């Protein structure tokens, strides 16, 4: 019987994908650098996403400042933009490593369990990151083809994604350390020696083609282009290049609208001649019609509306300072303030404003936007506008205000 060559024997252990000539761009270096960039991106997304979650669902220890007024606009804009920038990085990472998923080799019994656990951690990592990016993209477009509540599910899966990244980084530290060394050739040799299961068989030769540097440059360029394609929804001077941004930054009275009065089912109640804003402070209560609110001293504030979908827009608001309105009813003792909307069908029909914002001079019960009376979709007859807050907490169509 003719003896099989060792090279042929190793090749027979592999599916067809590894018996072909392997691109030089599919290397440990490309996988490591794209993986490190993804790790930084996941960290940024986790921190900025946690900020947004804590603002919307604050525990007792959490404190968020009223100034600078643009801070949430920046953190949430970064969150959505970086999330989109992760897409080309993920594609490059998957492309560079997927042949290794099919590599078959003899496994010693003592290596079986660690190998299975590592593969499971990779599967969890891929699934969690893909879930976060896909659902996040759908949220920016306000498209929800699922039955679960996006906010809480997205928050919970963030911990899964970060945990999987930590496990993966711990496993790959030797590879990353060697790739970061100054001499790339010994680094790759050491990495392959440290992880023999990742070594390519002799039959999988590397032909001339796209180099590692070219692949990494393409990944970087794709990442920048993806970011520019959406960043304009929160960075005004980039709107002309942000062709994929879900929001243009424009809308009625110069500000986009997420939820209309018709969708909130408040059209009739907001226009009712009997409308009165009920304000409760220190055991006192008083109702204010729209005309009575207009008769109070008026103030102006230049504040952005910044939404969790990543878009934001600057507005020039006019109305009654909240602290002045509270003082007109009773003695404000400095507690948090609850705002309740005429809307009864949505999940954001009320919000709580912390003391730091309630006493700020820029916080208004807004009656006008950009020199015009509020349109019905923007919250007529009156709405809350406060600094450094998500748009979902800038309660529209106010029904009552109460010191807690």
């Amino acid at each position: 019987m003719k003896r099989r060559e060792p090279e042929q024997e190793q090749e027979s252990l592999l599916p067809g994908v590894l018996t072909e000539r392997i691109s030089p761009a599919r290397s440990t270096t490309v996988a490591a650098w794209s993986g490190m960039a993804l790790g930084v991106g996941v960290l940024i997304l986790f921190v900025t996403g946690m900020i947004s979650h804590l603002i919307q669902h604050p525990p007792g220890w959490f404190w968020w400042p009223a100034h600078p007024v643009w801070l949430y606009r920046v953190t949430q804009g970064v969150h959505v933009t970086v999330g989109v920038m992760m897409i080309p990085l993920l594609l490059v990472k998957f492309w560079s490593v997927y042949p290794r998923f099919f590599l078959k080799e003899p496994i010693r019994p003592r290596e079986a369990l660690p190998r299975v656990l590592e593969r499971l951690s990779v599967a969890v990592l891929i699934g969690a990151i893909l879930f976060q990016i896909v659902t996040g993209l759908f949220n920016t477009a306000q498209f929800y083809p699922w039955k679960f509540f996006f906010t809480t599910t997205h928050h919970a899966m963030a911990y899964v994604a970060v945990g999987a990244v930590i496990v993966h980084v711990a496993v790959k530290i030797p590879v990353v350390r060697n790739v970061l060394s100054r001499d790339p050739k010994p680094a790759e040799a050491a990495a392959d020696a440290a992880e023999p299961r990742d070594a390519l068989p002799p039959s999988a030769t590397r032909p001339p083609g796209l180099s590692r540097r070219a692949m990494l440059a393409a990944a970087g360029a794709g990442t920048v282009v993806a970011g520019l394609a959406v960043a304009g929804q929160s960075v005004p001077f980039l709107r002309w290049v942000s062709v994929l941004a879900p929001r243009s930054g424009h809308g009625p009275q110069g500000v986009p609208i997420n939820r209309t009065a018709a969708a909130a089912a408040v059209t009739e109640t907001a226009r009712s001649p009997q409308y009165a804003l009920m304000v409760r402070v220190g055991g006192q209560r008083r109702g204010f019609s729209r005309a009575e609110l207009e008769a109070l001293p008026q103030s102006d504030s230049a504040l952005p509306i910044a939404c969790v979908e990543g878009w934001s827009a600057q507005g020039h608001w006019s109305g009654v300072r909240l602290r002045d309105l509270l003082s007109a009813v009773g003695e404000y003792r400095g507690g948090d303030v609850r705002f309740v909307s005429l809307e009864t069908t949505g999940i954001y029909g009320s919000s709580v404003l912390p003391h730091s914002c309630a006493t700020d001079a820029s916080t208004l019960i807004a009656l006008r936007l950009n020199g015009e009376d509020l349109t019905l979709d923007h919250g007529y007859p009156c709405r809350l506008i406060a600094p450094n807050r998500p748009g979902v907490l800038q309660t529209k169509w106010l029904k009552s205000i109460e010191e807690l």
Side-chain angles (χ1 to χ4, degrees):
M1 180 181 293
K2 184 178 180 180
R3 183 177 178 273
R4 299 177 66 188
E5 295 298 327
E7 180 175 332
Q8 293 175 326
E9 185 173 350
Q10 188 169 9
E11 183 175 323
S12 67
L13 297 174
L14 304 171
V17 68
L18 279 183
T19 61
E20 301 173 356
R21 293 164 68 83
I22 303 301
S23 167
R26 284 196 171 113
S27 68
T28 305
T29 300
V30 172
W33 279 107
S34 58
M36 285 186 286
L38 284 169
V40 173
V42 168
L43 179 61
I44 292 173
L45 291 174
F46 183 77
V47 172
T48 53
M50 190 60 63
I51 288 173
S52 183
H53 180 80
L54 290 174
I55 294 173
Q56 296 180 63
H57 311 280
W61 54 266
F62 181 72
W63 176 80
W64 184 247
H67 291 268
V69 299
W70 43 260
L71 184 57
Y72 181 76
R73 182 181 195 177
V74 170
T75 60
Q76 195 61 17
V78 167
H79 182 81
V80 173
T81 302
V82 171
V84 173
M85 294 172 71
M86 296 271 282
I87 296 174
L89 285 175
L90 276 173
L91 294 176
V92 170
K93 174 70 172 178
F94 291 161
W95 181 84
S96 66
V97 302
Y98 91 88
R100 300 168 191 259
F101 295 156
F102 304 102
L103 181 60
K104 295 180 180 179
E105 58 177 337
I107 301 176
R108 286 174 288 186
R110 66 180 182 179
E111 295 179 344
L113 181 59
R115 183 74 57 83
V116 170
L117 292 177
E118 180 194 1
R119 296 293 172 168
L120 285 175
S121 71
V122 172
V124 172
L125 173 63
I126 293 173
I129 291 181
L130 285 177
F131 178 88
Q132 291 296 86
I133 289 179
V134 171
T135 57
L137 280 175
F138 283 11
N139 180 62
T140 63
Q142 294 187 306
F143 176 59
Y144 306 103
W146 52 70
K147 295 183 179 180
F148 58 81
F149 182 44
F150 166 78
T151 303
T152 54
T153 306
H154 197 70
H155 173 68
M157 285 299 295
Y159 290 99
V160 177
V162 169
V165 167
I166 292 173
V167 171
H168 189 66
V169 168
V171 171
K172 296 296 183 181
I173 281 179
V175 179
V176 174
R177 184 173 59 246
N178 287 316
V179 167
L180 290 176
S181 63
R182 292 187 177 182
D183 191 355
K185 292 183 179 179
E188 292 222 355
D192 290 338
E195 298 192 352
R197 61 182 178 279
D198 286 344
L200 296 174
S203 61
T205 57
R206 298 190 184 277
L210 189 65
S211 67
R212 292 190 296 263
R213 287 186 179 180
M215 189 64 203
L216 290 172
T223 301
V224 172
V225 169
L228 290 175
V230 298
Q233 65 178 350
S234 54
V235 184
F237 69 84
L238 292 177
R239 282 174 183 158
W240 66 280
V241 296
S242 296
V243 295
L244 299 181
R247 298 289 189 279
S248 66
H250 302 291
Q253 297 183 284
V255 177
I257 292 172
N258 267 11
R259 189 164 177 80
T260 65
V266 299
T267 303
E268 293 185 6
T269 53
R271 289 175 172 168
S272 172
Q274 286 75 43
Y275 170 82
L277 172 64
M278 186 59 61
V279 182
R280 299 178 179 88
V281 180
Q284 305 295 317
R285 56 181 290 175
R286 177 182 169 185
F288 293 85
S289 66
R290 164 84 188 201
E292 288 174 324
L293 291 172
E294 291 176 339
L296 293 173
Q298 303 291 294
S299 300
D300 298 329
S301 290
L303 295 174
I305 283 283
C307 283
V308 294
E309 293 91 355
W311 67 265
S312 58
Q314 187 77 7
H316 187 88
W317 309 86
S318 302
V320 185
R321 281 187 179 137
L322 175 61
R323 64 189 189 188
D324 294 342
L325 180 62
L326 296 176
S327 298
V329 177
E331 182 182 356
Y332 174 54
R333 296 165 295 182
D336 295 345
V337 180
R338 184 191 305 278
F339 296 81
V340 178
S341 174
L342 293 170
E343 178 182 8
T344 59
T345 57
I347 60 174
Y348 293 105
S350 67
S351 66
V352 175
L353 190 68
H355 170 265
S356 58
C357 287
T359 57
D360 193 270
S362 62
T363 299
L364 301 180
I365 304 304
L367 306 176
R368 290 172 295 279
L369 170 59
N370 291 332
E372 301 175 351
D373 287 347
L374 289 173
T375 63
L376 195 60
D377 287 339
H378 269 307
Y380 178 90
C382 63
R383 66 170 296 164
L384 168 67
I385 183 69
N388 208 19
R389 301 256 292 171
V392 292
L393 301 183
Q394 307 280 30
T395 308
K396 298 195 288 187
W397 312 295
L398 286 175
K399 176 183 178 181
S400 64
I401 302 173
E402 178 184 8
E403 179 189 11
L404 298 179

